Amino acid sequence: SKLPHHRMVKLIREIQKPVIALLNGYCFGAGFELALACDFRLASDNLEIGDHRVKRAICIMSGASWFLPRLIGLSRAIEITFTGKHLNAKEALEIGLVNEVFKESEFEKESLQYIKRIADLPTKCIGYNKAMINFSLKKELFPSLQNEFKLYVKNMRTDDHWEGVKSFLEKRNPKY
């Protein structure tokens, strides 16, 4: 597709690294759809999120039809995209649309701590897990198992894997 949002969604899903959306204030329309493509969505407690374009006869166009049912279920996805419903941070957390909600006054600090915890994990392993999940979303169980094993073996060859094993045996925290 030649649409910039489509290219961005494709890049977010294909990069073998975690992508984290920081949602503070309003998150609607195309920004809402870009947030859906991310691996994590962190919200400020002042968040208002949804997609009201339908009220102006504008359709979703950058992935909401694919992401929303997978993230929050079909009936909730239909409600948001058919009615233009908005949710606050608490509602978004309750239905699994966002991963965490932080107080607005602490949002930057708490988000950075969350990001640091993710960044301290083995990036290659996370990337392989992301690729496995993306693959399994469009395949049956047996091909997914085969793909998991193929990427599992690739991960075993990484320095991070060996650091994880070594740190376990040495009873210390790993350093990736």
Side-chain angles (χ1 to χ4, degrees):
S1 173
K2 294 185 189 304
L3 292 172
H5 284 95
H6 290 190
R7 287 195 302 269
M8 183 64 73
V9 167
K10 187 174 186 301
L11 289 170
I12 289 169
R13 293 314 316 148
E14 287 180 347
I15 189 169
Q16 286 195 357
K17 291 180 173 33
V19 178
I20 301 171
L22 301 180
L23 309 175
N24 189 1
Y26 298 111
C27 184
F28 304 129
F32 170 65
E33 291 186 283
L34 285 177
L36 297 177
C38 294
D39 301 303
F40 298 92
R41 282 161 299 287
L42 307 180
S44 170
D45 62 1
N46 72 347
L47 178 67
E48 187 175 336
I49 189 169
D51 198 332
H52 53 259
R53 292 178 288 184
V54 69
K55 293 178 179 179
R56 301 285 186 219
I58 301 169
C59 291
I60 52 181
M61 59 175 257
S62 296
S65 67
W66 194 88
F67 290 111
L68 270 178
R70 287 168 167 82
L71 292 169
I72 62 172
L74 182 60
S75 66
R76 288 186 174 120
I78 286 171
E79 183 180 19
I80 290 170
T81 59
F82 286 20
T83 69
K85 180 179 180 175
H86 292 181
L87 301 114
N88 63 35
K90 182 177 182 278
E91 293 167 324
L93 181 65
E94 287 171 358
I95 67 170
L97 188 55
V98 299
N99 300 89
E100 296 281 347
V101 174
F102 304 118
K103 288 182 185 175
E104 184 181 1
S105 60
E106 300 289 314
F107 182 62
E108 186 175 343
K109 181 180 141 240
E110 294 290 337
S111 294
L112 287 173
Q113 287 177 355
Y114 190 97
I115 291 165
K116 172 108 172 69
R117 285 193 302 272
I118 299 297
D120 286 343
L121 294 169
T123 306
K124 283 278 190 199
C125 183
I126 291 172
Y128 289 136
N129 286 349
K130 182 174 179 176
M132 290 174 200
I133 288 171
N134 286 338
F135 182 92
S136 71
L137 285 171
K138 57 189 178 214
K139 300 290 185 184
E140 297 295 324
L141 174 60
F142 190 66
S144 295
L145 290 171
Q146 290 175 314
N147 184 62
E148 281 182 6
F149 186 69
K150 178 181 85 175
L151 295 178
Y152 172 86
V153 169
K154 281 180 100 170
N155 182 66
M156 285 182 63
R157 297 183 192 125
T158 66
D159 291 339
D160 283 350
H161 171 76
W162 291 111
E163 169 60 13
V165 170
K166 187 176 175 188
S167 66
F168 175 77
L169 295 172
E170 294 174 358
K171 298 179 182 0
R172 62 174 174 79
N173 290 329
K175 292 186 178 107
Y176 301 113

